[in-house]
Amino acid sequence: FGLKVVGLMALDQNIALAANLFVAIAAAAGPITLVNALISTQPFFVLLFALILSRFVPQLYSEETQRATVFQKLAALALMCAGVLLITG
């Protein structure tokens, strides 16, 4: 691996560590069902950032951006969120 790849991997791991820390703090500070409901929105933001990266930095990341593909992914996200809402009450 090159130094750039190792640096990106380290950055990724540090961001994941910070995210887990914030989830633990949120779970300790408030209702766990609310925390879980908010965590379930993560795939939406992953898709959003992937589309943004694909649009503005296509040499770094590419995502299928055809209307039908994006609609299918948004529909899947909506079903996931609906399932989380049904589970958490």
Side-chain angles (χ1 to χ4, degrees):
F1 296 111
L3 187 59
K4 186 176 181 180
V5 172
V6 172
L8 285 173
M9 289 170 57
L11 176 65
D12 173 61
Q13 291 301 309
N14 284 323
I15 291 171
L17 178 65
N20 287 332
L21 179 66
F22 286 131
V23 167
I25 291 170
I32 193 68
T33 55
L34 179 60
V35 174
N36 282 337
L38 289 175
I39 290 172
S40 71
T41 63
Q42 179 185 2
F44 171 76
F45 289 105
V46 170
L47 178 62
L48 178 68
F49 291 140
L51 291 173
I52 290 171
L53 278 176
S54 182
R55 169 87 173 164
F56 294 110
V57 194
Q59 66 275 16
L60 182 64
Y61 184 79
S62 71
E63 178 77 21
E64 289 189 38
T65 57
Q66 289 93 7
R67 187 176 301 236
T69 304
V70 172
F71 180 75
Q72 182 181 16
K73 291 177 182 182
L74 287 173
L77 289 173
L79 288 172
M80 287 176 11
C81 288
V84 169
L85 288 174
L86 288 172
I87 291 171
T88 58

